[in-house]
Amino acid sequence: MKAGTAPKWAYELDAEFLTVMKKLGDGAIHPNDGNIDEQSKLDNELLAKLTHTFQMLLFLIYELPLQKQKRLDALKAGIIKK
């Protein structure tokens, strides 16, 4: 994003979601120098929240723009040309 080459959705998204998800992923695969106690936070409840958040992000990135375009196209199809 700093270079200005990120896709449009990246600028419209609250970047904190991606930051938090990255930290969760990092914590899941890096055992803190062998201390896996912190990984116990990654329980089923948190994984469900992560899944729902990921689904929301996929909707915002892929589905919402497509739905918006379809609705606009449908409205445009109703324009009476003079």
Side-chain angles (χ1 to χ4, degrees):
M1 287 178 49
K2 290 178 184 176
T5 58
K8 181 181 174 187
W9 63 262
Y11 299 100
E12 297 171 351
L13 183 68
D14 183 345
E16 191 170 7
F17 277 106
L18 299 178
T19 300
V20 170
M21 291 173 72
K22 181 188 181 312
K23 288 179 180 179
L24 287 169
D26 289 347
I29 61 173
H30 301 292
N32 301 313
D33 295 324
N35 179 4
I36 61 170
D37 291 338
E38 287 292 311
Q39 290 173 320
S40 66
K41 295 177 183 176
L42 302 172
D43 60 8
N44 287 337
E45 183 179 346
L46 180 57
L47 292 176
K49 289 176 182 176
L50 184 59
T51 298
H52 290 290
T53 301
F54 193 70
Q55 289 170 336
M56 178 197 71
L57 294 174
L58 289 174
F59 176 80
L60 292 174
I61 294 166
Y62 296 108
E63 296 297 324
L64 185 59
L66 181 62
Q67 288 184 16
K68 286 168 63 175
Q69 188 61 53
K70 285 181 178 180
R71 289 178 188 207
L72 180 58
D73 291 346
L75 291 172
K76 285 180 178 179
I79 294 175
I80 299 172
K81 298 182 181 186
K82 294 180 183 183

